Amino acid sequence: MSDQRIRFYQTGTFTVGNRLLDPSDRAVQASTARANALTSGHRACQGCGEALGARYVLDAAMRATGNQLIAVNATGCLEVFTTPSPETAWQLPWLHSLFGNAAAVATGVAAAMRVKGKPVRVIAQGGDGGTTDIGFGCLSGMFERNDDVLYVCYDNEGYMNTGVQRSSATPPTARTATTPAMGPERGNVFGTGKSLPLLAMAHNLPYVATATVADLHDLEAKVTCAMGIHGARYLHVLVPCPLGWGHPTDETIRMARLAAECGLFPVFEAVDGEVVSSTPIRRRVPVEAYLRGQKRFAHLFDGPTPDPRIARLQALADQNIRRFRLQPEVTP
Amino acid sequence: MKLPFAITLDPGSSRHNHTGAWRTQRPVYVDRLPPCNATCPAGENIQHWLFLAESGDYRAAWEAILADNPLPAVMGRACYHTCETACNRAKVDEAVGIHAIERFLGDLAIEHKWPAPPCAPATGKKVLVIGAGPSGLAAAYHLARLGHAVTIRDAMPRAGGMMRYGIPRYRLPREIVDAEIQRIVDLGVTLELGVRVDDLPGAIAAGGFDACFAAVGAHLAKRIDLPAPDATRILDAIGLLREIEQGGVAPLLGRRVVVYGGGNTALDVARTARRMGAADAVIVYRRTQAEMPAHEDELREALEEGVQVRWLSTVASLGDGDITIEKMRMTLAGPVPTGEFETIAGDTLVLALGQAVDLAPLRAVPGVAFTRDGSVEVDGALMTGHPGLFCGGDMVPAERTITVAVGHGKKAARHIDAYLRGTTYAPAPKHAPATLERLNPWYYSDAERTVQPQLEMARRQGTFEEVHGGLDTSTALFEARRCLSCGNCFECDNCFGVCPDNAVIKLGPGLGFRIDLDFCKGCGLCAKECPCGAIDMIAEQT
Amino acid sequence: MLKQLECSRAIAEVIARCRPEVICAYPITPQTHIVEALSELCRTGELAPCEYINVESETSALSVAVGASAAGARAYTATASQGLLHMAEVVYNAAGLGLPIVMTLGNRALGAPINIWNDHSDAMALKDAGWIQLFARDSQEAVDLHILAFRLAEELSIPVMVCVDGFVLTHSVEPLDVPSQEQVDRFLPPYHPVQVLDVSDPVSIGAMVGPEAYTEVRYLAHHKQQRALERLPELAAELAVILGRTSGALLHPYRLDDAETIVVAMGSVTGTIEVAIDELRATGLAIGAIALCAFRPFPLVELAQALAPAKRVIVIERSLAPGLGGALASNVRMALQGGAIPVRTVIAGLGGRPITRVSLRRLFTSAAQDALDDLTFLDLDTGAIDRELARWGDQRRSGPSAENLLRDTRRPR
Ligand SMILES: Cc1ncc(C[n+]2csc(CCOP(=O)(O)OP(=O)(O)O)c2C)c(N)n1
Ligand code: SF4
Ligand SMILES: [Mg+2]
């Protein structure tokens, strides 16, 4: 009966809330009592996925911790658009130190809480640049020490705050200000970049997960799960950036959805270094469906014939689908 | 805390910064017209009553149906539900089983003896309704609720019209018909049965009626001349069904029944014949299945029950125990004879070639005009050329279904009411359509339609027991919840959740949402992620 | 109570008595013994409660301290040389955020060429990061300055760097008094931050500040340093009462009476200078010295007053500002601006080169005869330099000078 209830539901649990759902099955975001840890008046671009992701994550963590939460923020869009003096959009205790040290600063906050015997939890957050590149040393140290911090990377696949430059999270072929669509191999080159979730897993963290702003329930469940665990945890959230990706401001969630549904962004969970579950693709689409909507990939489609690199991206997606078992009914 | 200058700030102080100033377009909540509502001949607000049913408030849902249609239990069974054909969900997976939920609600009301909502204070006006079929009953119901005194007259011994004398019991149990009629009578409507009105103006004058609604239906069977050794072996469908209903045996119905025609009545007769013990029930139809006017589900069920169909065939003549049919060929101009004949076994031929209106009582009424094909001419308010005389149902040019009839009843009632008050009735303008393209189907979970349990085949063929079982409380709930709520907010909280600027204010259950224009930057995410397309983005005036 | 102790150990013990709540450690010579000793004190429970965190870099060391301090914990770390440069960004940040972190800097030269020995290149590199920089003239002062540092830092919400000469002080073993817990507690109240990450009063710390307020923020940083100029002597006096000895000051004067020549220096070299002065005074030379304890804030007025009677000032500079001379001398000149007292810069003791009494006596004597250039390199091996410069003249590329010089200096002369 219980699974039938979901099956026959008007919208299942895909929508944020729904008056018909039991309140406990609704997303934190459906509640007027949500913390709004990141509130209105911030200066993010229209349709910013990062603004959305940060509120999703922090509100869920606020609920999970009974508002006993402190956030540490790396430099980047999220920091800049929330705290231009004299106004801040944060409603929880929040600290920004530098671009590359958020994980370490969070370690310090967590240490302070522990030494003072306060049951207050700590989240560190940053963009992909602040996480996979400049902040990786501090992050790896925090991971390795198993400090009691949930680190959240809001991955918009580039250095957006400085005007959309390449980071090690920028996908191959994507045009950025430092990987222009020029020369023999236009955009970002193949064979570069790294997967922070996999690197996090290599630290044997008690919990590593990926998520997108397109699947709120999944994201909130992961935050809740992460906050139920002590030690170093890592959450990697895909947050499309209309400015950097070149998609309409109302397509932010759709882009995140397509990224997951085509397989380029695998959504999964790992415990103690092993993948324990992945969110199955619901309606698989070819990578082209995802790429076409974004100006950063426009050069793949401007020739008379399809750019062969689309097939290479498709191969990456297919590999993810196999590797993370994103289509359990298809993979052997 | 006394904070260090500039670098340490008070929480939420960004709310001083009204980012709404960035906006070039704004979201606006809208109500769109869902395809189900748009196609319902009775004008039901289906999406709305489904919305009420979705939360389990069946009584409210039922009352919402009643606002347009006083016969939910009947309609849930006998309507051919154009709403489901139009349903947007049909393009996502399968249409919402609207008729099944309607029937469930109707049955629930009967079971709990829910009365119709109370009538308005009496107006002192009197209306005569002629014909106790779906149209007349619907008109009577609405007129009564509007406070008018209604008298219905019908020539038959029992009320219901085609609901009783045209639709077989296995599709529409009579206790259901009785119960729904009784509820209308309980409003204080006077029902005079077995009274045929031949002098309309006389009847109106004699009864002191202020207006009249005539909806006597079309019950004169159309016939064709066929060479036959014994004319008694040729029956007409509507007459046959009426006779069976009146309890008369059908002695002339043989073991091999051939039904000529392709409408729903043809199927009703064929299926009835099977139930009455005919070994063969063969439908002969001039065209192909694609052109058959009968409802697809009815055909499927008939075939399941062993009814056979000879497509592209006409009846040429009757022999002794057999019937000769001629093969037809489909051309762009329609079916043409091939000259190729075939003889099939058949001891009875039932003609189901349509019905005509008995116009006799109206012929002499001053001002009333008729169409060339034998219907009564009415204006947009369903009024004839004779002031105060309105017509509806099968008598006027329209599709002849009980749903259309019920719709006419409602429409006529509203215009009669206006006529009696000396005003005119103008329906509210229709909302723009809620098209599939406006929906974001991602959010709807995949679900098959709750299939109404069907009676076992064997039982169904031999008896007149109802073929379709009903939904129970839980299946009805699931089914209602499959509604996509096209074009109308169903409070899924998506807009509230997906706004990156927290600029959607949730007003609480039943109250929907409001945009906080101080902070809305106009990104359009709420509109794009609204599952049901109930948000429009409109340009800001600059 | 005096105990024969390594200075680093004594510093660790006094740090422990300052009750830090978070300590971040990363190894780099010559501060390592301090954090090693602290790890021991934490493990044995002598220092508790305290979170001792082995970080993966100096950037993290100070970053952890930033987080801890902002969350209301008393935080301590130590570093030296390359480590200080590695954390440079955070050094500025901690000051900008006004976090009262105390850090010991085991002063050491900067590479390349890599060199583990003592000079002040590291401290000078970050002299304008907004920290208070206090230089210890001897091991006992190195110990005592830490108590002062915490008090000053927390009173003013400003981080303090206690500069302790590497090896010369950090590794010296001598009779030292580690102030007792009771003495420390009497001087150092618990930490009450002016801003703190608190779930019941959720502020945002570390906002972005634009042109409209940045100058004011910087002015206030300067203002804090000016306040420190006032508070440091007062607090030092207060501490002196408790400890029964003078530790910490803006500056320590030495035999300034009638001094015509005044030597200005910072750190452990002042001990040798004082001995040389004693010897020269005995020959009748009117010479005295000033050991600057506070380099930041720089006591312009106090220094100008102390130097006013002098005919000449010699600055013993433990670091080089290539292309200029020395940072300390430049600052001293600023104190004396508008006057006629000449200031000579003497670059001495770079990368651990010993500054001998003999060399100093020779230097001061010629200084007293006004025979010094504006910029002098003490004990410079001019032979080696000349040979290298000759090579430079011969060929444009001659390999790393450091190695050439090393070869030359090892060659029997
Ligand atoms: C040490 C340092 N290097 C560079 C910068 C400049 N910088 C500020 S934000 C930023 C980009 C941030 O990118 P990311 O972390 O991906 O966050 P996003 O803005 O994309 O959300 C850069 C390069 C800096 N502030 N500090
Ligand atoms: S540049 Fe991208 S990440 Fe930054 S505020 Fe704009 S939309 Fe958000
Ligand atoms: Mg980024």
Side-chain angles (χ1 to χ4, degrees):
Chain A
M1 186 69 176
S2 67
D3 77 303
Q4 205 194 26
R5 191 181 71 180
I6 296 303
R7 243 182 99 223
F8 283 96
Y9 238 83
Q10 187 165 39
T11 57
T13 45
F14 292 108
T15 47
V16 171
N18 194 331
R19 70 201 168 97
L20 303 176
L21 279 172
D22 187 89
S24 65
D25 289 334
R26 300 180 200 174
V28 174
Q29 287 304 315
S31 167
T32 49
R34 74 187 188 202
N36 282 325
L38 171 53
T39 191
S40 310
H42 61 73
R43 288 149 205 256
C45 304
Q46 286 143 327
C48 174
E50 196 167 61
L52 200 54
R55 195 188 72 226
Y56 283 178
V57 167
L58 290 173
D59 284 0
M62 287 287 268
R63 165 145 342 152
T65 59
N67 298 347
Q68 302 297 297
L69 186 70
I70 294 174
V72 173
N73 213 126
T75 311
C77 273
L78 181 60
E79 167 261 328
V80 170
F81 72 62
T82 54
T83 52
S85 190
E87 291 157 359
T88 173
W90 300 104
Q91 309 212 77
L92 81 175
W94 180 92
L95 171 64
H96 162 242
S97 169
L98 290 164
F99 189 19
N101 70 348
V105 174
T107 292
V109 176
M113 293 305 119
R114 197 163 49 240
V115 77
K116 290 178 176 298
K118 291 190 189 169
V120 174
R121 309 297 303 279
V122 184
I123 278 186
Q125 50 184 4
D128 49 296
T131 303
T132 69
D133 290 340
I134 198 168
F136 185 61
C138 288
L139 182 61
S140 177
M142 188 278 276
F143 282 169
E144 162 279 316
R145 291 187 301 270
N146 201 23
D147 293 330
D148 191 16
V149 173
L150 169 63
Y151 190 100
V152 185
C153 171
Y154 301 108
D155 181 7
N156 50 24
E157 303 187 333
Y159 291 98
M160 298 319 182
N161 187 53
T162 36
V164 194
Q165 294 83 17
R166 176 200 181 272
S167 80
S168 58
T170 302
T173 77
R175 181 199 67 193
T176 69
T178 50
T179 54
M182 295 170 185
E185 191 176 344
R186 297 189 292 169
N188 195 26
V189 295
F190 274 92
T192 61
K194 58 175 138 171
S195 161
L196 235 282
L198 292 180
L199 284 165
M201 284 162 60
H203 290 75
N204 261 323
L205 296 197
Y207 189 73
V208 172
T210 68
T212 78
V213 286
D215 193 343
L216 178 60
H217 289 268
D218 176 76
L219 173 59
E220 288 187 349
K222 284 169 177 170
V223 173
T224 306
C225 175
M227 294 320 287
I229 300 171
H230 283 267
R233 291 140 291 145
Y234 181 71
L235 178 62
H236 191 102
V237 188
L238 186 72
V239 291
C241 162
L243 183 88
W245 294 16
H247 60 74
T249 57
D250 61 356
E251 297 253 303
T252 300
I253 291 176
R254 184 169 164 261
M255 283 304 151
R257 184 179 300 136
L258 289 174
E261 293 291 291
C262 77
L264 278 178
F265 187 86
V267 180
F268 64 94
E269 265 177 317
V271 169
D272 297 336
E274 277 177 42
V275 175
V276 294
S277 78
S278 43
T279 305
I281 288 174
R282 223 173 127 215
R283 291 174 194 160
R284 191 173 173 187
V285 292
V287 291
E288 200 176 321
Y290 168 63
L291 304 172
R292 268 204 188 272
Q294 304 173 46
K295 290 208 188 80
R296 64 177 174 158
F297 296 115
H299 54 277
L300 296 179
F301 301 102
D302 63 3
T305 54
D307 190 312
R309 293 187 304 161
I310 298 170
R312 291 184 72 183
L313 287 166
Q314 184 63 55
L316 289 181
D318 295 346
Q319 187 191 37
N320 280 339
I321 289 169
R322 283 193 305 275
R323 191 169 180 182
F324 297 100
R325 297 180 195 284
L326 301 176
Q327 278 194 308
E329 70 283 12
V330 172
T331 29
Chain B
M1 208 187 295
K2 212 179 156 308
L3 303 177
F5 176 69
I7 54 164
T8 303
L9 307 172
D10 276 323
S13 38
S14 61
R15 291 184 63 86
H16 294 300
N17 182 36
H18 286 182
T19 52
W22 305 9
R23 202 173 50 241
T24 58
Q25 49 171 6
R26 70 167 65 178
V28 177
Y29 290 95
V30 293
D31 289 315
R32 289 265 181 158
L33 179 65
C36 51
N37 294 6
T39 54
C40 177
E44 286 187 24
N45 191 345
I46 296 164
Q47 175 275 328
H48 174 63
W49 62 253
L50 280 175
F51 178 88
L52 297 169
E54 282 157 25
S55 56
D57 193 350
Y58 299 132
R59 177 109 187 223
W62 176 78
E63 287 184 358
I65 298 178
L66 246 58
D68 297 298
N69 162 25
L71 307 165
V74 168
M75 207 75 87
R77 291 172 166 85
C79 172
Y80 292 116
H81 39 78
T82 45
C83 51
E84 294 184 30
T85 312
C87 174
N88 276 332
R89 179 133 209 164
K91 295 155 211 154
V92 177
D93 44 25
E94 242 199 296
V96 175
I98 298 167
H99 76 280
I101 306 161
E102 181 173 41
R103 168 183 162 174
F104 163 78
L105 294 171
D107 288 357
L108 202 64
I110 293 171
E111 185 190 330
H112 290 95
K113 303 196 166 48
W114 291 338
C119 299
T123 59
K125 302 284 185 189
K126 290 178 69 180
V127 183
L128 174 64
V129 173
I130 302 173
S135 204
L137 287 167
Y141 168 82
H142 292 292
L143 288 165
R145 292 217 32 225
L146 289 164
H148 307 301
V150 184
T151 301
I152 308 180
R153 287 189 188 145
D154 195 290
M156 297 299 284
R158 307 200 62 183
M162 280 295 171
M163 298 189 288
R164 185 182 303 279
Y165 297 111
I167 299 172
R169 285 165 185 267
Y170 62 86
R171 284 215 285 134
L172 185 55
R174 299 308 181 235
E175 52 292 3
I176 295 297
V177 178
D178 294 342
E180 297 217 301
I181 294 173
Q182 190 55 47
R183 190 168 52 229
I184 296 169
V185 172
D186 289 346
L187 289 176
V189 171
T190 307
L191 193 55
E192 299 175 6
L193 295 170
V195 185
R196 191 182 150 93
V197 178
D198 284 320
D199 172 13
L200 237 170
I204 293 171
F209 293 107
D210 301 293
C212 171
F213 178 60
V216 298
H219 40 76
L220 303 180
K222 290 185 183 162
R223 297 192 67 107
I224 47 166
D225 284 334
L226 284 170
D230 176 5
T232 58
R233 286 179 44 225
I234 303 182
L235 305 174
D236 76 81
I238 201 70
L240 176 69
L241 292 171
R242 183 163 50 220
E243 228 172 287
I244 293 169
E245 179 57 29
Q246 286 182 300
V249 235
L252 296 172
L253 210 56
R255 294 211 8 97
R256 296 173 201 287
V257 178
V258 175
V259 184
Y260 191 21
N264 287 312
T265 309
L267 291 173
D268 286 344
V269 169
R271 294 174 72 182
T272 299
R274 289 282 288 156
R275 282 175 174 72
M276 295 186 64
D280 284 348
V282 182
I283 289 174
V284 175
Y285 177 54
R286 300 170 69 213
R287 301 166 192 254
T288 69
Q289 184 173 348
E291 289 87 32
M292 194 183 203
H295 199 270
E296 219 177 285
D297 288 351
E298 296 285 325
L299 174 64
R300 184 176 38 73
E301 285 166 15
L303 293 173
E304 281 167 14
E305 290 169 13
V307 171
Q308 300 161 43
V309 187
R310 309 301 294 251
W311 305 110
L312 283 171
S313 306
T314 54
V315 176
S317 63
L318 269 72
D320 198 9
D322 56 31
I323 292 171
T324 304
I325 59 175
E326 181 177 5
K327 293 267 169 213
M328 305 293 280
R329 184 167 53 83
M330 221 35 203
T331 68
L332 283 178
V336 293
T338 59
E340 199 185 308
F341 294 89
E342 191 190 335
T343 302
I344 57 172
D347 31 41
T348 310
L349 177 67
V350 184
L351 300 178
L353 301 170
Q355 290 107 250
V357 183
D358 177 7
L359 296 173
L362 288 163
R363 289 266 180 227
V365 180
V368 176
F370 304 94
T371 65
R372 219 178 292 169
D373 60 354
S375 310
V376 180
E377 240 176 48
V378 285
D379 63 11
L382 293 179
M383 191 158 81
T384 64
H386 184 86
L389 174 60
F390 296 75
C391 273
D394 290 355
M395 295 177 76
V396 302
E399 218 195 321
R400 288 176 175 174
T401 67
I402 62 162
T403 321
V404 171
V406 164
H408 284 176
K410 174 181 82 171
K411 184 174 171 186
R414 294 193 175 156
H415 287 289
I416 291 168
D417 177 63
Y419 170 83
L420 295 175
R421 293 172 199 277
T423 60
T424 51
Y425 168 73
K430 285 203 185 325
H431 293 296
T435 55
L436 182 68
E437 297 65 52
R438 287 178 55 87
L439 306 188
N440 190 333
W442 170 263
Y443 289 102
Y444 298 107
S445 43
D446 318 300
E448 295 143 38
R449 180 150 65 144
T450 305
V451 181
Q452 295 174 66
Q454 294 198 352
L455 283 180
E456 278 183 33
M457 205 52 59
R459 273 179 76 210
R460 170 164 15 142
Q461 284 161 9
T463 74
F464 281 91
E465 233 171 294
E466 193 171 13
V467 170
H468 291 255
L471 302 175
D472 61 23
T473 327
S474 65
T475 48
L477 192 65
F478 296 145
E479 194 54 34
R481 287 173 174 191
R482 291 183 60 248
C483 169
L484 308 181
S485 194
C486 305
N488 292 272
C489 174
F490 61 101
E491 295 175 34
C492 73
D493 297 325
N494 259 17
C495 52
F496 182 60
V498 304
C499 176
D501 295 287
N502 316 21
V504 175
I505 297 166
K506 180 168 168 174
L507 301 172
L511 301 173
F513 305 86
R514 188 166 64 76
I515 302 294
D516 186 344
L517 292 171
D518 281 349
F519 297 109
C520 167
K521 293 172 184 161
C523 69
L525 268 173
C526 54
K528 199 53 160 263
E529 298 304 323
C530 174
C532 64
I535 303 178
D536 278 349
M537 293 302 296
I538 60 163
E540 283 291 344
Q541 247 57 48
T542 41
Chain C
M1 186 187 62
L2 287 179
K3 250 182 11 188
Q4 190 74 6
L5 279 175
E6 189 197 43
C7 177
S8 288
R9 174 78 203 185
I11 290 174
E13 287 185 6
V14 81
I15 291 292
R17 286 175 198 169
C18 290
R19 305 181 192 275
E21 293 165 295
V22 175
I23 293 174
C24 327
Y26 193 78
I28 184 167
T29 307
Q31 61 78 39
T32 313
H33 289 183
I34 303 174
V35 290
E36 284 174 358
L38 280 166
S39 76
E40 220 177 278
L41 295 170
C42 284
R43 280 292 166 97
T44 58
E46 264 171 86
L47 170 48
C50 180
E51 292 288 323
Y52 185 94
I53 302 173
N54 282 298
V55 293
E56 79 296 335
S57 73
E58 284 86 358
T59 294
S60 279
L62 191 54
S63 298
V64 169
V66 162
S69 183
R74 184 171 284 166
Y76 170 81
T77 188
T79 191
S81 180
Q82 314 300 134
L84 183 69
L85 292 202
H86 190 86
M87 63 165 66
E89 200 190 0
V90 197
V91 174
Y92 272 77
N93 185 253
L97 294 176
L99 298 174
I101 297 160
V102 169
M103 177 164 72
T104 308
L105 183 69
N107 295 105
R108 170 182 148 180
L110 292 174
I114 191 163
N115 173 301
I116 64 165
W117 307 103
N118 170 234
D119 72 21
H120 290 169
S121 302
D122 51 4
M124 291 302 113
L126 288 182
K127 64 185 189 305
D128 296 319
W131 288 54
I132 286 176
Q133 284 184 324
L134 304 177
F135 281 79
R137 61 190 158 148
D138 57 32
S139 297
Q140 187 62 61
E141 187 171 46
V143 172
D144 298 344
L145 277 181
H146 283 93
I147 318 170
L148 207 55
F150 276 112
R151 173 86 185 264
L152 193 60
E154 290 170 11
E155 245 192 59
L156 297 176
S157 289
I158 190 170
V160 178
M161 203 184 289
V162 180
C163 299
V164 181
D165 282 331
F167 292 110
V168 183
L169 296 183
T170 56
H171 288 56
S172 75
V173 179
E174 54 190 295
L176 291 170
D177 172 52
V178 179
S180 68
Q181 188 64 64
E182 182 271 329
Q183 286 175 310
V184 174
D185 287 349
R186 209 150 26 112
F187 183 72
L188 182 62
Y191 172 33
H192 290 298
V194 296
Q195 56 174 352
V196 67
L197 297 168
D198 178 358
V199 292
S200 61
D201 188 1
V203 296
S204 295
I205 303 178
M208 185 178 68
V209 177
E212 66 292 337
Y214 188 80
T215 306
E216 287 67 31
V217 170
R218 298 304 289 158
Y219 174 83
L220 291 170
H222 178 64
H223 178 80
K224 279 187 190 176
Q225 295 263 354
Q226 298 305 107
R227 282 284 295 144
L229 281 179
E230 294 164 23
R231 285 302 284 152
L232 180 60
E234 291 165 11
L235 292 175
E238 198 181 308
L239 184 61
V241 174
I242 294 168
L243 298 182
R245 63 177 169 264
T246 301
S247 282
L250 294 175
L251 47 82
H252 296 291
Y254 188 73
R255 300 190 77 169
L256 289 188
D257 34 305
D258 325 322
E260 294 178 353
T261 304
I262 300 179
V263 182
V264 178
M266 298 192 297
S268 60
V269 70
T270 51
T272 321
I273 291 170
E274 284 168 16
V275 174
I277 282 174
D278 287 346
E279 288 170 1
L280 290 173
R281 277 269 182 184
T283 69
L285 202 69
I287 186 164
I290 289 172
L292 263 189
C293 180
F295 180 64
R296 287 291 181 271
F298 196 81
L300 289 171
V301 175
E302 294 76 5
L303 190 61
Q305 268 167 14
L307 294 177
K311 291 214 168 80
R312 65 193 68 79
V313 173
I314 299 156
V315 178
I316 303 296
E317 190 85 62
R318 302 292 318 276
S319 72
L320 173 67
L324 174 69
L328 176 57
S330 305
N331 285 245
V332 172
R333 285 195 181 92
M334 185 167 172
L336 294 177
Q337 67 190 320
I341 308 171
V343 178
R344 309 285 177 222
T345 309
V346 179
I347 310 291
L350 296 188
R353 167 93 39 108
I355 302 174
T356 64
R357 211 158 23 101
V358 180
S359 298
L360 285 181
R361 248 192 351 249
R362 195 164 53 230
L363 177 80
F364 296 158
T365 309
S366 65
Q369 292 157 5
D370 287 323
L372 279 190
D373 288 341
D374 270 357
L375 178 62
T376 308
F377 286 76
L378 187 68
D379 296 340
L380 186 69
D381 181 349
T382 49
I385 297 290
D386 290 345
R387 283 189 294 281
E388 176 66 5
L389 293 182
R391 263 192 297 270
W392 285 12
D394 291 348
Q395 59 200 98
R396 282 187 57 212
R397 290 175 144 271
S398 58
S401 301
E403 279 161 36
N404 290 335
L405 284 167
L406 215 53
R407 230 181 300 118
D408 282 344
T409 48
R410 290 212 185 109
R411 192 179 296 158
R413 262 173 267 170

